[in-house]
């Protein structure tokens, strides 16, 4: 019986294969793995699904209220007899339904097909008489009344009530999405430090890959949520027949999605970095308060100063409030074509700086447990 033997070369290759350490995963592979883990965990979270549902309901409510405040109602139908049709012709608030005589108009009125009858009357100064069923048709009377011409020195491009609803909608969506996902990232970072899981993770991947994966994973979810809300809002406007509003709101919604996608990356990095400075869940609020204020301030400013062009202009260029301020200005027609581009460039540059600073704080604080890491030490390393 023959016994297999190994040549010196085979033994060397075998020993080399045994002693060589496993290949370190590439940065891209590590980031994609961590990002996928973040996305999977959030999609299984009831809190995420509930918050998304609440935002969807808020958007639907805004669309419905917008249709009530800014929507255009159909013209009122009135039966007209003979020469009375001349008084109704050209009136956008009324739709004339010609009838042969007053009796035919009365039948339509009783059947509910028209709201009033307009008949010629030689004794009346206007030459017509309006006939109602059981009460005075004030809408028809008002539409037929002679009104003086009205001029406005500074006509508003958008109805103030509608402008408030749009501003409130942008503000609440930005506030809820940024705060929800930012808090989720902060809690995830502290939980990994508290359970010492981060030590195992850092033995396999770098701190930069871990932070990048968390930011990208949650940014994808936040962007997907905002995109779904934008599609829902546009579809709701189309279904409710608000074509005029859709024409003005469509471009502002697109810009809001673009600004939010970049702005959230900045906020996510800051939430993760500040959370890495503590080791207990109870301390998350104290370190993330400055970042939370950066999310809350734009919401309150746009709600209380939606009709102040000066405040909105400042907001549209400040990186932390630009995702809300600039889309509102675009909707109101206050922004020139080049202003969103300039504001976006400022936001991208600020995001790059914030991510670099956040990555440094995150890397220098992640393995330090116990007391809170001072900001100066976290930056110094």
């Amino acid at each position: 019986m023959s016994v297999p033997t190994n040549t010196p070369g085979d033994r060397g290759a075998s020993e080399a294969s045994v002693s060589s350490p496993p290949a370190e995963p590439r940065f891209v592979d590590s980031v994609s793995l961590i990002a996928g883990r973040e996305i999977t965990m959030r999609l299984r979270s009831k809190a995420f699904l509930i918050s998304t549902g609440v935002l969807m309901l808020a958007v639907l409510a805004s669309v419905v209220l917008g249709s009530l405040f800014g929507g255009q109602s159909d013209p009122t139908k009135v039966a007209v007899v003979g020469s009375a049709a001349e008084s109704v012709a050209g009136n956008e608030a009324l739709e004339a339904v010609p009838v042969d005589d007053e009796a035919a108009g009365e039948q339509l009125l009783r059947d509910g097909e028209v709201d009033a009858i307009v008949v010629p009357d030689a004794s009346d100064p206007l030459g017509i008489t309006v006939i109602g069923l059981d009460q005075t048709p004030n809408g028809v009377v008002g539409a037929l009344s002679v009104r003086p011409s009205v001029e406005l020195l500074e006509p508003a491009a958008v109805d103030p009530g509608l402008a408030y609803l749009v501003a409130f909608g942008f503000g609440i969506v930005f506030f809820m999405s940024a705060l929800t996902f930012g808090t989720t990232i902060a809690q995830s970072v502290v939980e990994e430090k508290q359970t010492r899981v981060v030590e195992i993770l850092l033995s396999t991947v770098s701190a930069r890959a871990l932070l990048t994966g968390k930011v990208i994973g949650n940014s994808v979810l936040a962007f997907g949520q905002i995109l779904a809300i934008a599609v829902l809002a546009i579809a709701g406007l189309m279904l409710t027949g608000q074509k005029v509003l859709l024409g003005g709101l469509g471009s502002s919604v697109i810009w809001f999605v673009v600004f939010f996608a970049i702005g959230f990356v900045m906020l996510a990095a800051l939430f993760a970095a500040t959370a890495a400075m503590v080791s207990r869940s109870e301390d998350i609020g104290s370190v993330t308060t400055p970042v939370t204020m950066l999310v809350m301030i734009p919401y309150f400013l746009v709600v209380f100063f939606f009709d102040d062009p000066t405040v909105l202009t400042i907001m549209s260029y400040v990186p932390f409030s630009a995702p809300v301020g600039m889309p509102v200005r675009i909707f109101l027609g206050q922004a020139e074509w080049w202003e969103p581009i300039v504001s976006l460039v400022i936001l991208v540059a600020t995001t790059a700086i914030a991510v670099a600073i956040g990555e440094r704080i995150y890397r220098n604080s992640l393995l330090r447990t116990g007391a809170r890491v001072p900001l100066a030490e976290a930056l110094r390393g």
Side-chain angles (χ1 to χ4, degrees), residues 76-278:
T76 302
K77 291 184 178 182
V78 293
V80 293
V81 180
S83 60
E86 298 177 0
S87 302
V88 180
N91 196 320
E92 297 179 355
L94 301 177
E95 178 182 350
V97 179
V99 292
D100 296 333
D101 50 30
E102 185 176 334
E106 181 179 336
Q107 185 61 44
L108 292 179
L109 180 62
R110 294 184 182 278
D111 293 340
E113 297 184 15
V114 296
D115 293 335
I117 310 170
V118 182
V119 299
D121 186 356
S123 62
D124 188 88
L126 295 179
I128 57 173
T129 295
V130 178
I131 302 174
L133 182 60
D134 54 359
Q135 57 185 355
T136 302
N138 294 319
V140 177
V141 173
L144 292 172
S145 300
V146 178
R147 300 180 182 180
S149 301
V150 179
E151 294 183 1
L152 299 177
L153 295 178
E154 298 180 0
V158 181
D159 180 77
L162 185 59
Y164 176 80
L165 287 176
V166 172
F168 176 79
F170 282 135
I172 193 66
V173 170
F174 174 79
F175 172 73
M176 291 291 292
S177 295
L179 192 61
T180 299
F181 286 100
T183 304
T184 300
I185 293 175
Q187 291 175 345
S188 174
V189 171
V190 174
E191 286 176 3
E192 290 175 353
K193 286 189 65 175
Q194 200 168 17
T195 58
R196 313 300 286 268
V197 173
V198 68
E199 299 177 8
I200 301 175
L201 293 174
L202 291 180
S203 65
T204 306
V205 299
S206 64
R208 177 173 297 178
L210 185 58
L211 175 62
T212 305
K214 285 183 175 296
V215 172
I216 291 179
N218 286 276
S219 296
V220 168
L221 287 173
F223 180 76
Q225 188 181 74
I226 294 299
L227 191 60
I229 290 174
V231 172
L232 179 64
I234 294 175
L237 292 174
M238 295 178 64
L239 293 176
T240 54
Q242 302 180 70
K243 296 181 180 180
V244 176
L245 177 59
L246 180 60
L249 190 59
S251 59
S252 59
V253 169
I254 294 174
W255 277 109
F256 175 74
V257 173
V258 174
F259 272 88
F260 180 87
I262 299 174
F264 180 78
V265 172
M266 171 182 60
L267 294 173
L270 294 179
F271 269 109
T274 52
M277 297 168 61
V278 296

Side-chain angles (χ1 to χ4, degrees), residues 5 42 100 125 280 286 345:
T5 59
R42 299 299 166 259
D100 296 333
R280 300 187 309 165
S286 61
V345 171

